[in-house]
Amino acid sequence: MNTFIQNKFFRVIVPLIAILFFLSCQKDLSNEDGLFPGQVADLTTKVTSSVSGFVTDENDAAVLGASVTVGSSFATTDKYGFFEVKNVHVVKNAAMVTVNKPGYFKGIKTYIATENKAAFFRIKLILKTNSGSINGTSGGNVTLSNGLIVALPANAVVNAGSGVAYTGAVNVAAHWIDPTATDLNQTMPGDLRGIATDGSLKTLTTYGMAAVELTGASGELLQIAPGKKATLTLSIPSSIQSAAPSTIPLWSFDETKGLWKQEGTATKTGNTYVGEVSHFSFWNCDVPANYVQFNCTIKNIDGIPIPFALVKITVVGTNSAGYGYTDSSGFVGGAVPANAQLLLEVISNYSCSTQIYSQNFATTNTNLSLGVITVNSGLTTATVSGTVTDCSNNPVSSGYIVMINGYQYYRYALSNNGTFSFNAILCNNTATATFIAEDNVGLQQSNPITMTLTAGANAIGNLQACGVLTQQFVTYTINGGSPISFISPSDSVIHVGSAGTGGAIIYSYSNTGGNGDINILFDNIGIALNSSQRLLSFTSNNAPQFPPNIQTTIPTPIFVNITEYGTVGQYISGNFTGAIVTTGPPPNTTYNIVYSFRVRRSF
């Protein structure tokens, strides 16, 4: 289930009113399905949930190789930025999706999980760049062009791990999150729900957020010293300045709970909010309000779900809007303001204002479902169908088709006989889309095709998933023993790093935990097909044939032979043979290793 967020300004408290006219499909949800407004949050009850989505960078490009955590399960984004985690136990009232990618702030989404319902997200990562530095001894401030100011007093920084005072240069990575941005739903952490000082869960109206991280000269993580406070100054966009209250609660984001936590207040000074904070993470200026849970299922007139549609809910008479995505079954749900008159609209994406459906409804203090909403969308949706075959011209029984429409990716599973059929919402009645078919068994993909979609039926014929090998693996042997393999997608095999002396890392780990992980680091200087790159390190954590958590040295230089080197998004392959020696535990043990890999390039 996807969760709606509230952005821009709305009048938080709406007088209690009678229920307006609803569709015949409308019904109440039991409050067993959610939280009474103002009730202390239950963050212990768990349900089983499945989650999928796409991760993009600051330029809306797909992010390959990001690590995604949902509950106790892990996934890695593919070349389309796609991830999926199935049947994992999550906290019902605050299920979390956490995305990690070097060089970016964490991407965190929170949602209200419903048993046997899936959630779908589009997560846009925030680039972590150094905005300036402050002397840890004398203090100072860093000011961004958008008006965000991070100010540190003298002698106010410690090493986050050890608590030891830090006196060197403090590097400040800071990013202001515009509360009126159309992509706020994708960039901000959580779902704009927070725990108030009385322990109750509230929905929040944001007037501005900031992400801040402090690091030392050696990259070590820093924090504000106990008993000290830093000062944050956040700009208030002109469109909401007149509505901004003179004082506003400050909230920090709790990455363990996936919710904002009320901590202190900020004061309106001109067109900014200024407040003191005792630690750094994400911070938010918000007005809290009660909420209820809402859901509906979007289908066309033939009863077929409309998946991955953007559902917008606006507080009538204001510019306040919340957004959610339908999942593969057309279901969408989340938190909406209590005791409010609302407008529901179904649209294609943020850049398209064309709606295919709209409806007014109202909330009280009781959870609400609109049930199945039937959309007569003959002029604004395309039904896309076709088949996928493998290299032997047999139907692909396990695979999927990817549609790239504008700047967004969509992924649809194939039937057992290799067919597909899905509904896509059009903007202005046409769309130019690219299609790629993938065969999970043969590990092959088709060449991309591009066509113009129009309203109604669109048959794109047969796509042959053949010609581009998609296999990713790491295989090694120790002292002539049996081969051990990590094979994607059942295992994760990831290429990360940077050009030059930073080197390249091949991470390989078992998604089930059975084979632990093996990681290698090698030079990335002058790397090309048939080049040899020096192996810099080899580490293992609970991998077969190794002691747990070994640390090693490389007494005689080992070189990685690069046997395939495509462009970014294509593949890098290589191998090496050599001996490593453990430094413990146990120390001074030699392992003769034969190692090979093939993984998609991420940089």
Side-chain angles (χ1 to χ4, degrees):
M1 180 178 65
N2 209 3
T3 302
F4 292 95
I5 67 168
Q6 302 302 313
N7 65 356
K8 303 187 179 179
F9 172 74
F10 67 89
R11 297 294 179 185
V12 177
I13 302 299
V14 178
L16 184 64
I17 56 174
I19 299 294
L20 299 180
F21 172 77
F22 295 134
L23 296 182
S24 60
C25 62
Q26 180 173 319
K27 60 182 179 181
D28 285 344
L29 286 170
S30 166
N31 271 309
E32 293 178 357
D33 294 326
L35 205 67
F36 289 98
Q39 180 181 344
V40 174
D42 171 15
L43 300 179
T44 58
T45 300
K46 293 189 175 184
V47 296
T48 300
S49 180
S50 297
V51 188
S52 65
F54 291 91
V55 178
T56 57
D57 65 13
E58 69 280 10
N59 297 314
D60 293 313
V63 172
L64 166 68
S67 176
V68 182
T69 304
V70 183
S72 59
S73 294
F74 303 92
T76 304
T77 56
D78 65 13
K79 62 182 176 180
Y80 308 111
F82 178 80
F83 68 91
E84 185 172 31
V85 176
K86 293 184 177 180
N87 301 323
V88 60
H89 288 290
V90 296
V91 175
K92 176 179 174 59
N93 278 317
M96 286 179 62
V97 180
T98 302
V99 180
N100 281 283
K101 178 72 174 177
Y104 290 87
F105 288 99
K106 289 181 180 178
I108 305 175
K109 293 301 169 191
T110 309
Y111 65 102
I112 303 170
T114 298
E115 191 77 36
N116 299 321
K117 292 292 184 181
F120 176 81
F121 291 98
R122 295 191 183 276
I123 301 172
K124 187 174 182 177
L125 298 181
I126 297 172
L127 187 64
K128 190 189 297 182
T129 55
N130 186 23
S131 303
S133 62
I134 299 172
N135 184 279
T137 301
S138 60
N141 62 69
V142 168
T143 302
L144 277 65
S145 59
N146 52 39
L148 175 64
I149 303 175
V150 179
L152 298 176
N155 301 308
V157 179
V158 297
N159 184 292
S162 66
V164 175
Y166 180 85
T167 58
V170 179
N171 297 315
V172 180
H175 182 89
W176 177 67
I177 303 174
D178 184 351
T180 64
T182 56
D183 61 356
L184 179 67
N185 187 40
Q186 300 179 54
T187 58
M188 58 157 235
D191 62 351
L192 273 183
R193 286 181 303 140
I195 301 177
T197 53
D198 63 359
S200 64
L201 266 178
K202 301 289 186 179
T203 188
L204 307 176
T205 302
T206 179
Y207 286 82
M209 304 183 197
V212 180
E213 182 178 280
L214 309 180
T215 54
S218 300
E220 65 271 39
L221 190 63
L222 305 176
Q223 263 299 355
I224 302 171
K228 299 281 189 175
K229 287 192 175 181
T231 301
L232 270 182
T233 302
L234 291 86
S235 297
I236 306 171
S238 58
S239 61
I240 58 175
Q241 284 176 16
S242 62
S246 59
T247 61
I248 194 168
L250 267 175
W251 309 70
S252 68
F253 191 74
D254 187 333
E255 295 182 6
T256 62
K257 293 182 172 130
L259 297 165
W260 296 93
K261 178 182 177 182
Q262 187 174 352
E263 292 188 79
T265 59
T267 301
K268 187 178 181 183
T269 303
N271 61 351
T272 67
Y273 274 122
V274 181
E276 292 186 328
V277 299
S278 59
H279 60 92
F280 276 122
S281 58
F282 290 90
W283 283 90
N284 200 351
C285 299
D286 301 85
V287 175
N290 290 330
Y291 71 86
V292 294
Q293 292 185 35
F294 161 88
N295 70 48
C296 64
T297 300
I298 310 296
K299 296 185 177 182
N300 68 7
I301 57 177
D302 297 319
I304 300 173
I306 299 179
F308 317 129
L310 186 61
V311 177
K312 177 181 179 181
I313 293 183
T314 306
V315 179
V316 174
T318 76
N319 290 325
S320 171
Y323 298 86
Y325 290 99
T326 59
D327 67 8
S328 59
S329 69
F331 177 85
V332 65
V336 296
N339 301 316
Q341 298 187 53
L342 306 173
L343 170 67
L344 179 149
E345 298 172 278
V346 182
I347 56 182
S348 175
N349 55 61
Y350 289 113
S351 63
C352 178
S353 60
T354 302
Q355 62 175 244
I356 65 170
Y357 180 84
S358 65
Q359 172 192 338
N360 287 90
F361 69 100
T363 58
T364 59
N365 61 353
T366 303
N367 294 334
L368 178 68
S369 172
L370 294 183
V372 175
I373 291 176
T374 300
V375 176
N376 186 359
S377 55
L379 297 178
T380 51
T381 62
T383 301
V384 182
S385 62
T387 58
V388 178
T389 55
D390 60 19
C391 291
S392 300
N393 291 317
N394 295 318
V396 172
S397 60
S398 176
Y400 57 91
I401 187 164
V402 170
M403 179 178 72
I404 307 168
N405 183 2
Y407 62 89
Q408 290 190 332
Y409 291 81
Y410 301 81
R411 189 180 192 268
Y412 306 92
L414 301 177
S415 69
N416 292 335
N417 59 3
T419 63
F420 60 89
S421 180
F422 57 85
N423 286 309
I425 300 177
L426 304 176
C427 188
N428 300 321
N429 300 328
T430 64
T432 300
T434 299
F435 299 90
I436 302 171
E438 301 266 355
D439 179 359
N440 292 336
V441 176
L443 299 176
Q444 298 269 344
Q445 75 175 47
S446 69
N447 292 315
I449 66 165
T450 300
M451 65 178 294
T452 299
L453 301 179
T454 58
N458 293 257
I460 64 175
N462 182 72
L463 294 174
Q464 188 175 29
C466 184
V468 181
L469 183 66
T470 61
Q471 185 177 38
Q472 299 183 81
F473 65 86
V474 162
T475 297
Y476 69 91
T477 61
I478 302 297
N479 296 331
S482 299
I484 302 294
S485 294
F486 299 86
I487 300 175
S488 178
S490 57
D491 300 312
S492 292
V493 184
I494 309 170
H495 173 242
V496 296
S498 60
T501 56
I505 302 173
I506 304 297
Y507 286 119
S508 56
Y509 58 89
S510 171
N511 291 330
T512 61
N515 277 346
D517 62 66
I518 290 283
N519 306 313
I520 66 168
L521 169 66
F522 56 88
D523 271 333
N524 200 51
I525 301 173
I527 190 168
L529 179 65
N530 298 323
S531 67
S532 294
Q533 305 296 316
R534 182 164 179 162
L535 183 67
L536 302 176
S537 71
F538 182 102
T539 59
S540 164
N541 178 31
N542 297 320
Q545 302 178 0
F546 282 113
N549 305 316
I550 65 165
Q551 300 297 316
T552 67
T553 61
I554 305 172
T556 301
I558 299 173
F559 291 90
V560 179
N561 305 305
I562 304 301
T563 58
E564 179 182 10
Y565 197 70
T567 60
V568 174
Q570 295 180 337
Y571 295 89
I572 174 175
S573 299
N575 59 73
F576 67 84
T577 300
I580 63 171
V581 177
T582 62
T583 58
N588 302 317
T589 302
T590 299
Y591 291 93
N592 294 296
I593 301 173
V594 177
Y595 178 102
S596 61
F597 68 89
R598 185 177 195 263
V599 61
R600 198 180 294 274
R601 281 189 60 193
S602 64
F603 70 95

